[in-house]
Amino acid sequence: MSEFWDSITSAQPEPSIRVVIGTAVVALLLIAWRPLWKLTRNVVTIAHEGAHGLIAALVGRQLAGIRLHSDTSGVTVSRGKPTGAGMIAVLLAGYPGPALFGLAAAFTLSRGYAVALLWGLLVALVILLLQIRNLYGLWSVLVFGALVFGITWWGTPAVQSSFAHLLTWFLLLSAPRAVIELQHSRRGGQGRSSDADQLRRLTGVPAVMWVGVFGLISLACLALGVIWSGVLPS
Protein backbone atom coordinates (compact mmCIF):
# COMPACT_ATOMS: atom_id res chain seq x y z
CA MET A 1 0.00 0.00 0.00
CA SER A 2 2.89 2.32 0.79
CA GLU A 3 4.44 1.64 -2.62
CA PHE A 4 1.09 2.25 -4.28
CA TRP A 5 0.67 5.60 -2.53
CA ASP A 6 4.26 6.57 -3.34
CA SER A 7 3.65 5.89 -7.04
CA ILE A 8 0.72 8.33 -6.99
CA THR A 9 2.33 11.10 -4.96
CA SER A 10 5.80 10.92 -6.49
CA ALA A 11 6.75 12.74 -9.66
CA GLN A 12 7.89 10.56 -12.56
CA PRO A 13 10.83 11.39 -14.85
CA GLU A 14 9.94 13.62 -17.79
CA PRO A 15 9.56 11.72 -21.09
CA SER A 16 11.78 12.56 -24.01
CA ILE A 17 10.64 15.17 -26.51
CA ARG A 18 10.38 12.33 -29.02
CA VAL A 19 7.72 10.64 -26.88
CA VAL A 20 5.82 13.90 -26.40
CA ILE A 21 5.75 14.64 -30.14
CA GLY A 22 5.06 11.00 -31.02
CA THR A 23 1.99 10.83 -28.79
CA ALA A 24 0.76 14.11 -30.32
CA VAL A 25 1.06 12.59 -33.81
CA VAL A 26 -0.85 9.48 -32.74
CA ALA A 27 -3.55 11.65 -31.17
CA LEU A 28 -3.86 13.57 -34.44
CA LEU A 29 -4.29 10.30 -36.30
CA LEU A 30 -7.05 9.22 -33.91
CA ILE A 31 -8.83 12.50 -34.61
CA ALA A 32 -8.13 13.06 -38.32
CA TRP A 33 -8.84 9.57 -39.68
CA ARG A 34 -12.61 9.32 -39.87
CA PRO A 35 -12.96 5.54 -39.20
CA LEU A 36 -11.01 5.95 -35.98
CA TRP A 37 -12.70 9.24 -35.10
CA LYS A 38 -16.11 7.53 -35.13
CA LEU A 39 -14.86 5.41 -32.22
CA THR A 40 -12.58 7.80 -30.36
CA ARG A 41 -15.14 10.61 -30.43
CA ASN A 42 -16.95 8.73 -27.66
CA VAL A 43 -14.17 9.90 -25.33
CA VAL A 44 -14.93 13.50 -26.31
CA THR A 45 -18.61 12.92 -25.55
CA ILE A 46 -17.73 11.50 -22.13
CA ALA A 47 -15.66 14.62 -21.37
CA HIS A 48 -18.34 16.92 -22.84
CA GLU A 49 -21.19 15.49 -20.80
CA GLY A 50 -18.96 15.15 -17.75
CA ALA A 51 -18.25 18.89 -17.94
CA HIS A 52 -21.98 19.62 -18.08
CA GLY A 53 -22.54 17.42 -15.04
CA LEU A 54 -19.64 18.87 -13.06
CA ILE A 55 -20.76 22.46 -13.55
CA ALA A 56 -24.38 21.55 -12.85
CA ALA A 57 -23.30 20.15 -9.48
CA LEU A 58 -21.07 23.15 -8.73
CA VAL A 59 -23.84 25.69 -9.38
CA GLY A 60 -26.28 23.80 -7.17
CA ARG A 61 -28.46 22.10 -9.77
CA GLN A 62 -29.72 18.56 -9.13
CA LEU A 63 -28.09 16.19 -11.58
CA ALA A 64 -30.74 13.77 -12.88
CA GLY A 65 -28.59 11.65 -15.15
CA ILE A 66 -26.36 11.44 -18.23
CA ARG A 67 -26.97 9.53 -21.45
CA LEU A 68 -24.37 8.72 -24.10
CA HIS A 69 -25.55 7.57 -27.53
CA SER A 70 -24.03 5.41 -30.25
CA ASP A 71 -23.93 8.37 -32.68
CA THR A 72 -21.51 10.02 -30.18
CA SER A 73 -24.14 12.51 -29.04
CA GLY A 74 -25.13 12.81 -25.41
CA VAL A 75 -27.44 14.59 -23.01
CA THR A 76 -27.07 15.68 -19.41
CA VAL A 77 -30.27 16.34 -17.47
CA SER A 78 -30.29 18.52 -14.39
CA ARG A 79 -33.12 20.02 -12.38
CA GLY A 80 -33.27 23.62 -11.28
CA LYS A 81 -34.08 27.07 -12.55
CA PRO A 82 -34.30 26.88 -16.38
CA THR A 83 -32.78 30.33 -16.82
CA GLY A 84 -30.11 32.46 -15.17
CA ALA A 85 -26.35 32.33 -14.70
CA GLY A 86 -26.33 28.75 -13.44
CA MET A 87 -28.02 27.34 -16.52
CA ILE A 88 -25.83 29.45 -18.78
CA ALA A 89 -22.71 28.10 -17.07
CA VAL A 90 -23.91 24.51 -17.53
CA LEU A 91 -24.55 25.02 -21.25
CA LEU A 92 -21.28 26.88 -21.71
CA ALA A 93 -19.23 24.08 -20.15
CA GLY A 94 -19.81 21.31 -22.68
CA TYR A 95 -17.75 22.09 -25.78
CA PRO A 96 -14.82 23.71 -23.93
CA GLY A 97 -14.92 20.85 -21.40
CA PRO A 98 -12.56 18.43 -23.21
CA ALA A 99 -10.07 21.24 -23.84
CA LEU A 100 -10.16 22.40 -20.22
CA PHE A 101 -9.76 18.83 -18.97
CA GLY A 102 -6.86 18.45 -21.40
CA LEU A 103 -5.29 21.65 -20.12
CA ALA A 104 -5.60 20.46 -16.52
CA ALA A 105 -3.98 17.18 -17.58
CA ALA A 106 -1.17 19.06 -19.36
CA PHE A 107 -0.49 21.06 -16.21
CA THR A 108 -0.39 17.87 -14.13
CA LEU A 109 2.01 16.23 -16.59
CA SER A 110 4.22 19.32 -16.62
CA ARG A 111 4.76 18.67 -12.91
CA GLY A 112 5.59 15.00 -13.57
CA TYR A 113 2.50 13.36 -12.06
CA ALA A 114 1.42 11.02 -14.84
CA VAL A 115 0.34 8.22 -12.49
CA ALA A 116 -1.65 10.60 -10.30
CA LEU A 117 -3.36 11.90 -13.43
CA LEU A 118 -4.44 8.39 -14.48
CA TRP A 119 -5.77 7.48 -11.03
CA GLY A 120 -7.59 10.80 -10.84
CA LEU A 121 -9.18 10.01 -14.21
CA LEU A 122 -10.31 6.62 -12.92
CA VAL A 123 -11.98 8.22 -9.90
CA ALA A 124 -13.74 10.71 -12.17
CA LEU A 125 -14.98 7.88 -14.42
CA VAL A 126 -16.38 5.98 -11.42
CA ILE A 127 -18.28 9.09 -10.31
CA LEU A 128 -19.54 9.61 -13.86
CA LEU A 129 -20.62 5.97 -14.08
CA LEU A 130 -23.02 6.52 -11.18
CA GLN A 131 -24.87 9.12 -13.28
CA ILE A 132 -25.17 7.12 -16.51
CA ARG A 133 -28.77 6.24 -17.36
CA ASN A 134 -28.55 4.12 -20.53
CA LEU A 135 -26.81 0.90 -21.61
CA TYR A 136 -24.66 2.38 -24.35
CA GLY A 137 -23.40 5.05 -21.99
CA LEU A 138 -22.67 2.41 -19.37
CA TRP A 139 -20.77 0.34 -21.93
CA SER A 140 -18.78 3.35 -23.21
CA VAL A 141 -17.61 4.44 -19.78
CA LEU A 142 -16.81 0.88 -18.68
CA VAL A 143 -14.71 0.16 -21.80
CA PHE A 144 -12.80 3.42 -21.50
CA GLY A 145 -12.38 2.92 -17.76
CA ALA A 146 -11.10 -0.63 -18.28
CA LEU A 147 -8.49 0.64 -20.73
CA VAL A 148 -7.32 3.33 -18.33
CA PHE A 149 -7.29 0.90 -15.40
CA GLY A 150 -5.31 -1.73 -17.32
CA ILE A 151 -2.60 0.74 -18.26
CA THR A 152 -2.56 2.31 -14.80
CA TRP A 153 -2.36 -1.01 -12.93
CA TRP A 154 -0.17 -3.14 -15.21
CA GLY A 155 1.67 -0.67 -17.40
CA THR A 156 5.30 0.22 -16.87
CA PRO A 157 6.09 3.82 -15.91
CA ALA A 158 7.07 4.53 -19.52
CA VAL A 159 3.77 3.11 -20.82
CA GLN A 160 1.77 5.04 -18.20
CA SER A 161 3.50 8.29 -19.07
CA SER A 162 3.06 7.77 -22.81
CA PHE A 163 -0.64 6.97 -22.42
CA ALA A 164 -1.18 10.00 -20.18
CA HIS A 165 0.43 12.24 -22.81
CA LEU A 166 -1.58 10.60 -25.60
CA LEU A 167 -4.84 11.17 -23.75
CA THR A 168 -3.89 14.77 -22.95
CA TRP A 169 -3.07 15.52 -26.58
CA PHE A 170 -6.27 13.83 -27.68
CA LEU A 171 -8.43 16.02 -25.44
CA LEU A 172 -6.62 19.20 -26.46
CA LEU A 173 -6.70 18.46 -30.19
CA SER A 174 -10.17 16.96 -30.42
CA ALA A 175 -11.97 19.89 -28.80
CA PRO A 176 -11.50 22.26 -31.79
CA ARG A 177 -12.70 19.57 -34.21
CA ALA A 178 -15.85 19.03 -32.15
CA VAL A 179 -16.55 22.78 -32.35
CA ILE A 180 -16.05 22.75 -36.12
CA GLU A 181 -18.44 19.81 -36.42
CA LEU A 182 -20.99 21.71 -34.36
CA GLN A 183 -20.95 24.65 -36.77
CA HIS A 184 -21.10 22.36 -39.80
CA SER A 185 -24.18 20.63 -38.39
CA ARG A 186 -25.79 24.01 -37.72
CA ARG A 187 -25.11 25.16 -41.28
CA GLY A 188 -26.73 21.97 -42.54
CA GLY A 189 -29.90 22.77 -40.63
CA GLN A 190 -29.18 20.32 -37.83
CA GLY A 191 -28.04 20.92 -34.29
CA ARG A 192 -30.69 23.56 -33.59
CA SER A 193 -31.03 22.21 -30.08
CA SER A 194 -27.26 22.47 -29.56
CA ASP A 195 -25.63 24.15 -26.59
CA ALA A 196 -24.96 27.24 -28.72
CA ASP A 197 -28.59 27.55 -29.77
CA GLN A 198 -29.85 27.04 -26.24
CA LEU A 199 -27.46 29.76 -25.10
CA ARG A 200 -28.86 32.04 -27.81
CA ARG A 201 -32.36 31.52 -26.48
CA LEU A 202 -31.24 32.24 -22.92
CA THR A 203 -29.04 35.25 -23.60
CA GLY A 204 -30.09 36.73 -26.93
CA VAL A 205 -26.47 36.47 -28.15
CA PRO A 206 -26.31 34.84 -31.62
CA ALA A 207 -25.48 31.15 -31.59
CA VAL A 208 -22.58 31.60 -33.99
CA MET A 209 -20.91 33.89 -31.44
CA TRP A 210 -21.22 31.17 -28.81
CA VAL A 211 -19.64 28.73 -31.26
CA GLY A 212 -16.83 31.26 -31.62
CA VAL A 213 -16.43 31.39 -27.83
CA PHE A 214 -16.22 27.58 -27.72
CA GLY A 215 -13.57 27.66 -30.44
CA LEU A 216 -11.49 30.40 -28.85
CA ILE A 217 -11.42 28.64 -25.48
CA SER A 218 -10.44 25.35 -27.14
CA LEU A 219 -7.64 26.95 -29.16
CA ALA A 220 -6.34 28.88 -26.15
CA CYS A 221 -6.19 25.66 -24.13
CA LEU A 222 -4.38 23.92 -26.98
CA ALA A 223 -1.81 26.72 -27.27
CA LEU A 224 -1.10 26.73 -23.55
CA GLY A 225 -0.99 22.93 -23.49
CA VAL A 226 1.64 22.95 -26.24
CA ILE A 227 3.77 25.35 -24.20
CA TRP A 228 3.43 23.26 -21.04
CA SER A 229 4.29 20.10 -22.96
CA GLY A 230 7.79 21.42 -23.63
CA VAL A 231 7.41 21.22 -27.42
CA LEU A 232 7.78 25.00 -27.55
CA PRO A 233 9.74 27.18 -25.15
CA SER A 234 7.64 28.79 -22.40
Side-chain angles (χ1 to χ4, degrees):
M1 191 64 189
S2 177
E3 292 179 0
F4 170 73
W5 184 249
D6 286 343
S7 69
I8 295 176
T9 57
S10 301
Q12 288 76 47
E14 291 187 7
S16 66
I17 192 66
R18 185 173 300 178
V19 170
V20 175
I21 294 176
T23 52
V25 171
V26 173
L28 267 177
L29 177 63
L30 295 174
I31 296 163
W33 191 26
R34 185 170 293 275
L36 284 176
W37 176 241
K38 290 180 179 179
L39 296 175
T40 59
R41 200 186 190 289
N42 286 286
V43 176
V44 181
T45 305
I46 290 172
H48 179 115
E49 301 304 331
H52 280 315
L54 174 62
I55 297 303
L58 290 177
V59 300
R61 298 180 64 84
Q62 182 182 358
L63 192 58
I66 296 173
R67 292 177 177 270
L68 308 174
H69 304 135
S70 58
D71 62 354
T72 70
S73 66
V75 60
T76 299
V77 179
S78 61
R79 298 190 181 96
K81 188 179 178 181
T83 59
M87 191 63 205
I88 292 172
V90 171
L91 291 170
L92 182 58
Y95 279 94
L100 291 169
F101 288 143
L103 184 61
F107 177 81
T108 304
L109 289 177
S110 71
R111 298 298 185 269
Y113 294 102
V115 175
L117 171 63
L118 294 177
W119 279 110
L121 174 59
L122 281 171
V123 171
L125 289 173
V126 169
I127 295 173
L128 178 65
L129 196 62
L130 299 176
Q131 297 296 331
I132 297 296
R133 295 295 182 267
N134 68 325
L135 287 176
Y136 185 83
L138 183 70
W139 173 251
S140 297
V141 177
L142 283 175
V143 169
F144 182 49
L147 172 64
V148 176
F149 177 80
I151 291 174
T152 304
W153 189 258
W154 289 292
T156 63
V159 170
Q160 293 169 342
S161 179
S162 297
F163 180 76
H165 279 82
L166 173 62
L167 182 58
T168 299
W169 281 123
F170 179 82
L171 290 172
L172 289 170
L173 292 166
S174 62
R177 173 161 187 175
V179 175
I180 292 171
E181 289 180 343
L182 167 63
Q183 185 58 18
H184 281 173
S185 68
R186 295 188 67 259
R187 284 182 176 178
Q190 301 174 348
R192 296 304 179 181
S193 61
S194 70
D195 295 348
D197 288 278
Q198 292 183 67
L199 283 165
R200 175 187 60 79
R201 290 191 286 271
L202 283 176
T203 65
V205 177
V208 68
M209 293 190 66
W210 287 112
V211 174
V213 170
F214 297 159
L216 287 174
I217 295 174
S218 298
L219 291 175
C221 289
L222 174 58
L224 191 52
V226 169
I227 293 174
W228 283 345
S229 71
V231 173
L232 297 176
S234 58

